Amino acid sequence: MLLNRPIPFSFLLGKIKYEILSVFVFANLMFTLRHYVGLEFLSIPLAIPALMGTCISLLLAFRTNQAYERWWEARVVWGGIVNDSRILIRQLLTFLPDETVPANIVQMLAQRQIGWCYVLGKTLRGQPTQSAIKTYIPVSEQAGVLGATHQPLAVLQGHANQLRYLYRAGYLTDLQLVQVDATLTRLTDAMGRCERIKNTVFPRTYTFYLQVFIILFTAMLPFGFVENLFFVEVPLVTLIGSAFFLIEKSAIQLQDPFENRPTDTPVTAIAKGIEVSLNQLSGAAVAEQSTAPPTYFIL
């Protein structure tokens, strides 16, 4: 996720460097033909590209809004994961009797929940999960999770198995089990919502058509300058065309929030925050967190 700090131009312009170069070369070609070759008739009324630019602006606004809604939904889902992770451990601390409950069982559940957050985030981004599994998942469960087709679901099943043991051993009542199971259900639902966002492809035809319209608009723009702007014409055409391409690229970046890019939903940073909270609740050692990330984004 991009932070509220200066973002380098290399990140912004790097996304459209080829588009900027193409527009610049095309604008120079048209400028040369009109002013040095004598083809002044290569012109159209400025109202035509102006009207087309207005239509494209409306489409870009709708496109960006839809992309941001996908990104924001992903952020809301992970906000719910933060809350439900804390609720899960708080419920267990409240429900389990201190005198008879097996030692460190709450810490084991907390570590498994922390591992689930990391495993889910890495799975959504297509990254290896072995380090998170070996760090946070109990040794007796690691082989089963590593060999599972759906690793985050396998981790949650570890929660379910341990809760079943606590219930059968008499540490949880019927009502308490229902409440804890409801929390696990919400976590499962959040996992499914993340997978829906990840696996639902934004309509490619919509992106393609919008790109074609922007290219047509940029190609028509040099012909609309009937006035002799001379050397201001090329930078102006390049600037206007680049603005449209940059907005369109920004929407493409936002529409896929689990691709391990600076514009992602910061699932790793959120998982680290969950780790601090759950370690505090369970009485485990709390690792110090850096107050400021070294870059202009967090993942």
Side-chain angles (χ1 to χ4, degrees):
M1 180 179 69
L2 296 177
L3 298 174
N4 187 21
R5 61 178 60 182
I7 299 175
F9 282 104
S10 59
F11 171 76
L12 297 175
L13 300 183
K15 306 299 179 182
I16 57 170
K17 55 185 177 182
Y18 298 113
E19 289 83 352
I20 293 176
L21 181 61
S22 300
V23 173
F24 180 76
V25 171
F26 181 77
N28 273 284
L29 177 61
M30 293 300 101
F31 177 82
T32 302
L33 291 177
R34 291 182 58 190
H35 296 284
Y36 292 99
V37 181
L39 301 180
E40 292 83 359
F41 65 90
L42 293 176
S43 61
I44 59 176
L46 185 59
I48 296 178
L51 179 61
M52 190 171 186
T54 302
C55 296
I56 293 175
S57 298
L58 295 175
L59 291 174
L60 278 175
F62 178 77
R63 173 80 165 80
T64 305
N65 183 63
Q66 294 298 311
Y68 180 77
E69 283 187 1
R70 281 167 62 99
W71 184 91
W72 180 245
E73 182 183 1
R75 183 61 186 87
V76 169
V77 171
W78 273 86
I81 290 175
V82 173
N83 297 337
D84 288 330
S85 297
R86 293 169 178 168
I87 290 172
L88 176 65
I89 304 306
R90 184 189 56 78
Q91 286 175 329
L92 293 170
L93 287 171
T94 303
F95 295 156
L96 294 177
D98 296 333
E99 299 80 9
T100 57
V101 69
N104 299 327
I105 195 167
V106 175
Q107 288 188 5
M108 183 185 300
L109 283 158
Q111 292 301 305
R112 186 189 292 111
Q113 180 59 28
I114 294 169
W116 178 79
C117 295
Y118 281 115
V119 170
L120 177 60
K122 290 179 178 296
T123 300
L124 291 171
R125 287 177 172 170
Q127 297 175 321
T129 59
Q130 288 85 349
S131 60
I133 293 173
K134 293 181 179 179
T135 302
Y136 299 101
I137 306 303
V139 177
S140 59
E141 302 174 13
Q142 289 180 7
V145 174
L146 287 171
T149 304
H150 197 297
Q151 292 181 346
L153 185 60
V155 176
L156 282 183
Q157 186 58 39
H159 275 336
N161 293 337
Q162 196 155 19
L163 290 174
R164 182 171 62 246
Y165 160 75
L166 292 172
Y167 173 70
R168 291 180 175 176
Y171 297 116
L172 290 175
T173 65
D174 294 345
L175 181 59
Q176 290 170 345
L177 179 64
V178 169
Q179 294 183 22
V180 177
D181 185 70
T183 304
L184 288 182
T185 300
R186 290 196 300 270
L187 289 170
T188 306
D189 178 68
M191 178 175 61
R193 292 173 65 186
C194 289
E195 292 170 344
R196 172 174 55 81
I197 297 172
K198 171 71 175 182
N199 298 327
T200 302
V201 179
F202 203 91
R204 299 297 183 187
T205 53
Y206 186 73
T207 301
F208 173 75
Y209 294 150
L210 187 56
Q211 289 175 341
V212 170
F213 292 153
I214 294 175
I215 292 173
L216 289 176
F217 165 74
T218 308
M220 293 170 58
L221 197 57
F223 301 102
F225 290 104
V226 181
E227 300 84 359
N228 292 326
L229 300 178
F230 294 101
F231 298 104
V232 179
E233 181 177 324
V234 173
L236 193 60
V237 171
T238 304
L239 181 63
I240 296 174
S242 299
F244 279 84
F245 281 114
L246 184 58
I247 296 173
E248 197 264 341
K249 289 290 184 181
S250 299
I252 292 177
Q253 291 281 318
L254 286 175
Q255 73 185 23
D256 297 317
F258 301 121
E259 299 299 326
N260 199 33
R261 296 182 298 207
T263 51
D264 268 13
T265 299
V267 296
T268 302
I270 294 173
K272 289 180 180 178
I274 293 173
E275 180 177 7
V276 172
S277 298
L278 300 194
N279 283 336
Q280 175 184 324
L281 287 172
S282 63
V286 179
E288 294 185 2
Q289 297 291 304
S290 57
T291 57
T295 58
Y296 58 93
F297 63 92
I298 56 175
L299 291 174

